[in-house]
Amino acid sequence: MNKTLLRGVRLYGEGDPVDLLISDGVIAEIGTDLADADAEVVDAAGQVALPGFVDLHTHLREPGREDTETIATGSAAAALGGYTAVFAMANTDPVADNAVVIEHVWRRGREVGLVDVHPIGAVTVGLGGEKLAELGTMARSAAGVRVFSDDGHCVADPLIMRRALEYSKALDAVIAQHAEEPRLTVGAQAHEGEQASRLGLAGWPAAAEESIVARDCLLALHVGARLHVCHVSTAGTVEVLRWAKTRGDAIAPQATRAGIVPQAGRPGISAEVTPHHLLLTDERLASYDPVNKVNPPLRTEADAKALREALAEGVIDCVATDHAPHAVQDKDCEWAAARPGMLGLQTALSVVIETMVRPGLLDWRGVARVMSERPAEIAGLSDHGRPLEVGEPATLVLIDPDASWTVRGAALASVAGNTPYEGMTLPGRVMTTVLRGRITAHDGRIRA
Ligand code: DOR
Ligand code: ZN
């Protein structure tokens, strides 16, 4: 059966409930009391329909650390979280700094078929920060890479960063920077502030992020290239972005390339924030539980508040999970030895509802903007983040806004279980995820 009838949904959480008939992968009809004898009927009364979410920052760990996540388990977590496309970070083993690894990830993502897996290419060989990777070869590979990042590491050398921006401009791509001046974070374990002093943890100063963001904005403006700032974590970075964006609009939209429709308003300088930086602060570190260790670190409530406001305002463009699965032995250990990172794909929406929707900072249109439309624009995806209209791809998510659920790491689809929300009850639940007309997840279960 290639038809589905979604009954009683509220598009973008607005207006009266409607039925949505999906046929051959597209939205064929929107109306009331629709009927189709051939269609699978999904009773979605009162559920909010949004375009499927796009995550610009996912660590899928394959190849190399399949003991923590695979492309299959990470894709399942994504579909259950309402995602229809994810961008897989390059810090795998081997590193995705060449077309062979890139095409492997891309092919495996297609085989699994639950979300569109777009591999991100490394900026430098082996994430070493010294020699540019062959960006052009990755761009021309079957995966058509258009996002490059050394995430986990900062492209710290300003000349390498400049060259990367120049190449990415020629390739109609974007450089996603993990902004962390490494000389300022040697041995760092926590946000540099009162809490770190109290706990005796070496500090990771806000300036280590802010100085790189300022530098990279200046370089991107100089070169006329597109820069995306990963996981913004400080109020100061928001101020730098606010300044840079007043100048960034001067960058012309990039040239058309085959198969990809250039999107209006494709940004010159863009930025993401993680759900955990919106909700959690360094107050949590008192337990010394490494589940709270993440890079950049959890910061202060003043920072989190600035991030929420910046996301509402559009100074920060979108939410990205930085979904970072880790093995038990790398988390259940002393703080200093633990690896940074936390799961995010299945909890992202609920954390966004808790931090942004409930306090009235975003409505459902706003959620669609920050979790779907804007990330699709930033990455140049033409088939995600589309309006929910007749003729558009049926790539969408249905949400029960009134439900709540209690997070259990062991029950999540990821191989690893390192969620910082263990035992917390969070609002909102993904009920159904649809990718090009096919239901990928429904009522907490994957549809193979
Ligand atoms: O917390 C983090 N974990 N930050 C990063 O930049 C990398 C990531 C990982 O790969 O585990
Ligand atoms: Zn990072």
Side-chain angles (χ1 to χ4, degrees):
M1 196 187 306
N2 60 4
K3 285 184 180 182
T4 307
L5 183 57
L6 308 177
R7 279 210 183 281
V9 304
R10 295 177 65 226
L11 303 179
Y12 304 96
E14 296 166 355
D16 293 328
V18 293
D19 300 341
L20 224 111
L21 180 66
I22 296 168
S23 178
D24 286 332
V26 301
I27 300 173
E29 231 182 307
I30 298 176
T32 47
D33 297 322
L34 297 186
D36 191 306
D38 299 331
E40 174 186 353
V41 177
V42 177
D43 177 14
Q47 294 176 17
V48 173
L50 300 182
F53 302 146
V54 176
D55 190 15
L56 291 178
H57 194 145
T58 313
H59 296 276
L60 289 179
R61 303 296 190 218
E62 185 179 346
R65 288 306 301 265
E66 293 84 353
D67 58 321
T68 65
E69 194 77 291
T70 66
I71 292 167
T73 59
S75 294
L80 290 165
Y83 286 89
T84 49
V86 300
F87 285 75
M89 274 299 173
N91 64 339
T92 49
D93 183 11
V95 172
D97 61 2
N98 62 81
V100 174
V101 177
I102 288 286
E103 290 192 350
H104 168 77
V105 172
W106 182 72
R107 288 221 165 81
R108 187 71 196 117
R110 283 175 49 122
E111 272 165 28
V112 173
L114 292 172
V115 288
D116 289 348
V117 174
H118 294 281
I120 291 177
V123 175
T124 66
V125 173
L127 309 174
E130 289 183 352
K131 188 169 180 289
L132 269 190
E134 290 193 10
L135 309 191
T137 313
M138 291 186 273
R140 283 187 294 274
S141 74
V145 176
R146 289 297 180 277
V147 183
F148 294 96
S149 181
D150 272 3
D151 182 65
H153 302 263
C154 182
V155 181
D157 182 324
L159 184 57
I160 300 265
M161 187 60 182
R162 179 194 174 147
R163 295 286 177 252
L165 287 164
E166 286 169 346
Y167 277 100
S168 72
K169 182 182 180 185
L171 296 168
D172 190 22
V174 57
I175 303 290
Q177 174 72 296
H178 168 119
E180 174 183 357
E181 168 48 58
R183 298 277 296 143
L184 292 174
T185 60
V186 176
Q189 295 291 336
H191 169 62
E192 184 174 301
E194 273 177 43
Q195 181 71 338
S197 310
R198 210 175 292 134
L199 301 175
L201 295 171
W204 196 129
E209 175 173 304
E210 293 152 7
S211 56
I212 291 291
V213 175
R215 181 202 77 176
D216 287 354
C217 286
L218 293 168
L219 285 173
L221 289 164
H222 179 66
V223 169
R226 281 191 286 121
L227 169 73
H228 178 71
V229 181
C230 294
H231 42 49
V232 173
S233 70
T234 80
T237 298
V238 170
E239 289 317 302
V240 174
L241 287 169
R242 194 187 301 280
W243 169 82
K245 284 187 160 203
T246 60
R247 305 189 46 203
D249 291 343
I251 298 172
Q254 309 294 309
T256 314
R257 68 189 144 88
I260 302 282
V261 182
Q263 312 242 347
R266 211 161 155 205
I269 291 170
S270 60
E272 69 187 35
V273 63
T274 69
H276 48 270
H277 287 109
L278 293 172
L279 180 64
L280 309 177
T281 69
D282 64 353
E283 290 296 316
R284 279 199 154 219
L285 273 48
S287 66
Y288 286 102
D289 183 344
V291 80
N292 297 308
K293 184 170 174 179
V294 66
N295 190 16
L298 299 180
R299 307 239 184 228
T300 67
E301 177 52 30
D303 291 304
K305 181 167 182 285
L307 298 174
R308 295 190 292 263
E309 288 167 0
L311 182 63
E313 243 185 286
V315 174
I316 293 175
D317 298 74
C318 65
V319 170
T321 65
D322 197 0
H323 177 84
H326 284 297
V328 173
Q329 66 271 23
D330 292 324
K331 277 298 197 182
D332 279 359
C333 56
E334 63 175 298
W335 182 276
R339 297 209 185 187
M342 34 183 74
L343 300 185
L345 285 168
Q346 281 179 260
T347 46
L349 171 70
S350 289
V351 175
V352 168
I353 294 174
E354 174 79 14
T355 55
M356 302 297 295
V357 179
R358 285 202 159 168
L361 288 166
L362 282 184
D363 57 12
W364 291 109
R365 283 257 171 209
V367 175
R369 174 167 56 81
V370 302
M371 294 190 72
S372 177
E373 295 161 8
R374 206 60 178 153
E377 281 170 9
I378 290 164
L381 293 186
S382 57
D383 55 348
H384 289 263
R386 304 291 306 170
L388 296 174
E389 289 170 5
V390 170
E392 293 286 353
T395 296
L396 53 90
V397 55
L398 304 182
I399 299 154
D400 182 343
D402 302 319
S404 60
W405 62 296
T406 301
V407 182
R408 299 285 171 213
L412 300 174
S414 291
V415 178
N418 54 304
T419 174
Y421 311 110
E422 182 72 38
M424 281 174 74
T425 299
L426 295 174
R429 201 163 165 252
V430 172
M431 297 305 297
T432 306
T433 310
V434 183
L435 174 64
R436 289 184 287 276
R438 197 165 63 78
I439 295 177
T440 54
H442 179 67
D443 201 12
R445 291 218 171 82
I446 285 299
R447 286 256 190 112

